Amino acid sequence: MLVYILGVVLFALGICISVALHEAGHMIAAKSFGMKVRRYFVGFGPTVFSFRRGETEYGLKWLPFGGFCDIAGMTALDEVTDDERPRAMYRFKTWKRTVVMAAGSFTHFVLGFVVLYLMAVTMGLPNLFGTPEISQVSSCVQDARTNQQYTNPTCEPGAPAPARDGGIRQGDVIVSVNGQETPTYNDVVAEVQNLSGPADFRVERGGEVIPLTVDVEKVTRPVSDPENPEATRLVDIGSIGVTFTNRWEYGAAGAVGGTAAFTGDLVVETWNRLLQLPERVPAVVESIFGAERDPNTPISVVGASRIGGEAAQEGLWELFFFLLASLNFFVGIFNLLPLLPLDGGHIAVTWYERVRDWLRKLRGKAAAGPVDYTKLNAVTMVIVVIGGAFVLLTITADVVNPIRITE
């Protein structure tokens, strides 16, 4: 139990640090362009302590749920003094304001990359997306009709070894089977299981795609009986005798490229999950009222911290750090959505002003000035209410019916 609590605390601390660094990203970018940063605080609520260095007040507040960076003139509605007005954020060029607003999300992407890089050089990166890379080529394929042979990995003389005899090697990536593309190892298994006899394989090796002919062996294997989950039945399936890579391990230099590729795949997957959020809300509601919790439903910070605690308790530190990296990517992408009050909403308004004034200039008109944010208050409040309701919904589900990695 102590390890579980420690895991929850560490994960929550990791989230707090991420949010604090998010605000630090805004601050550093703003200062680098000469904007005035009034305050940078970690947390909310009453102040624990603060100090002033230069023109900026730094401090810590009692509630460690995020933080804030107060930049003078973030919008034209902000009150600024005469001394601050020349350095107010709204007076700077569009691209500079964009960089400042995007710096928070950029910080999350950097943090996620750093966590994944450290994983790559210490424990390896999981083969999360099922890349069909071969980790081992077997000396034979086993058949369950002779129990001794199936349970004993020793190969009998003359036992078929389709992958080995067909020229498949360790490190190859199977890209297609009989003309069907196989982007994941599940796709490879699905295609091979229905085959028997010679089949056309294409593998990627050293940057080249190589055609091979593999004589798929029909073997008998035990599978779970759908009518009786506790029992098994024998079925005939195609087999070639390979094992796929479960994780990739790198040296310090090689991990840079490997982590970059993995990060790209993870960002795409995170974006796809973000698009699926609305359709998963009903399942979250149902789980609150007793339905089984779908592990693919969205979770709150509370749920993520609980999973982090369970991962620590079970020694699954790979899952712990992967979840922390994934959360950073999610927050980074979500915060760039063109919706107020998110940073992406402020960026959208900034570029709206730029395009609008450019069109006015083409018509010989003067610039129209900053957007009146008061006219956007109604839309902003709707988004805030929807966002708050979603957060409350997921927190409730994570308390009442949490997603667990252990039973």
Side-chain angles (χ1 to χ4, degrees):
M1 187 64 180
L2 181 60
V3 177
Y4 170 78
I5 295 174
L6 178 62
V8 171
V9 172
L10 286 177
F11 196 88
L13 180 61
I15 295 174
C16 292
I17 292 174
S18 296
V19 176
L21 291 177
H22 170 110
E23 297 300 329
H26 290 311
M27 179 185 67
I28 293 171
K31 282 180 171 289
S32 67
F33 289 132
M35 301 175 189
K36 181 175 180 179
V37 179
R38 298 166 176 152
R39 296 181 298 164
Y40 170 74
F41 273 75
V42 176
F44 294 100
T47 301
V48 179
F49 70 86
S50 69
F51 62 91
R52 180 170 294 277
R53 179 167 296 173
E55 63 186 10
T56 305
E57 181 185 7
Y58 302 85
L60 176 69
K61 292 183 176 289
W62 277 110
L63 301 177
F65 305 120
F68 63 90
C69 173
D70 180 14
I71 304 173
M74 289 188 67
T75 72
L77 296 179
D78 294 344
E79 293 185 5
V80 294
T81 64
D82 291 338
D83 292 339
E84 292 174 336
R85 188 166 288 107
R87 299 170 58 199
M89 181 174 172
Y90 67 83
R91 297 176 64 91
F92 283 73
K93 292 184 177 180
T94 300
W95 73 269
K96 292 183 178 181
R97 293 158 63 191
T98 300
V99 170
V100 172
M101 298 308 302
S105 285
F106 177 75
T107 303
H108 285 295
F109 296 140
V110 171
L111 287 172
F113 181 88
V114 169
V115 171
L116 292 179
Y117 175 81
L118 294 176
M119 287 178 61
V121 298
T122 55
M123 59 187 72
L125 292 175
N127 189 359
L128 181 69
F129 306 103
T131 302
E133 178 180 310
I134 306 300
S135 65
Q136 183 178 356
V137 179
S138 303
S139 299
C140 64
V141 292
Q142 306 289 342
D143 195 302
R145 291 196 182 280
T146 52
N147 291 332
Q148 182 179 2
Q149 183 181 4
Y150 183 75
T151 56
N152 187 350
T154 303
C155 295
E156 299 292 335
R164 183 196 63 188
D165 297 340
I168 293 179
R169 302 178 187 173
Q170 180 181 2
D172 286 352
V173 177
I174 300 177
V175 296
S176 70
V177 177
N178 269 356
Q180 295 294 321
E181 293 185 358
T182 52
T184 71
Y185 47 69
N186 289 328
D187 296 319
V188 176
V189 172
E191 292 297 327
V192 170
Q193 285 185 343
N194 296 320
L195 298 177
S196 178
D200 295 325
F201 280 65
R202 291 186 180 273
V203 301
E204 184 178 338
R205 180 187 302 162
E208 297 183 31
V209 176
I210 302 173
L212 299 172
T213 299
V214 179
D215 193 4
V216 180
E217 183 73 13
K218 207 73 170 181
V219 298
T220 303
R221 292 284 169 81
V223 298
S224 298
D225 190 339
E227 298 181 359
N228 184 7
E230 297 182 359
T232 60
R233 58 191 179 90
L234 297 178
V235 297
D236 293 330
I237 61 174
S239 178
I240 59 175
V242 295
T243 302
F244 295 104
T245 300
N246 290 323
R247 93 178 34 161
W248 294 296
E249 298 179 356
Y250 303 91
V256 176
T259 304
F262 189 86
T263 297
D265 291 337
L266 187 55
V267 168
V268 171
E269 182 65 18
T270 302
W271 172 250
N272 291 335
R273 290 295 183 94
L274 184 59
L275 294 178
Q276 296 169 3
L277 275 184
E279 65 187 60
R280 297 188 185 278
V281 169
V284 179
V285 175
E286 292 171 2
S287 71
I288 294 176
F289 295 98
E292 183 177 354
R293 184 75 182 270
D294 183 349
N296 291 318
T297 52
I299 59 176
S300 66
V301 172
V302 173
S305 298
R306 292 186 67 156
I307 294 176
E310 288 188 13
Q313 187 176 36
E314 298 297 321
L316 302 175
W317 291 104
E318 177 184 289
L319 175 61
F320 180 96
F321 290 112
F322 174 74
L323 185 60
L324 187 60
S326 299
L327 189 61
N328 270 284
F329 290 130
F330 177 83
V331 173
I333 294 174
F334 182 81
N335 198 55
L336 288 177
L337 294 179
L339 303 170
L340 290 171
L342 302 176
D343 289 340
H346 289 284
I347 293 173
V349 170
T350 297
W351 280 95
Y352 165 77
E353 292 174 348
R354 180 71 181 87
V355 173
R356 178 205 60 192
D357 291 344
W358 175 72
L359 292 175
R360 289 177 64 87
K361 183 178 180 181
L362 291 179
R363 297 196 300 258
K365 296 183 178 181
V371 165
D372 185 356
Y373 271 76
T374 59
K375 296 180 179 180
L376 301 175
N377 283 346
V379 177
T380 302
M381 285 305 301
V382 170
I383 295 173
V384 169
V385 170
I386 294 175
F390 180 78
V391 170
L392 182 61
L393 178 68
T394 52
I395 290 177
T396 302
D398 289 332
V399 172
V400 174
N401 192 358
I403 295 174
R404 300 184 184 277
I405 61 174
T406 58
E407 294 296 338

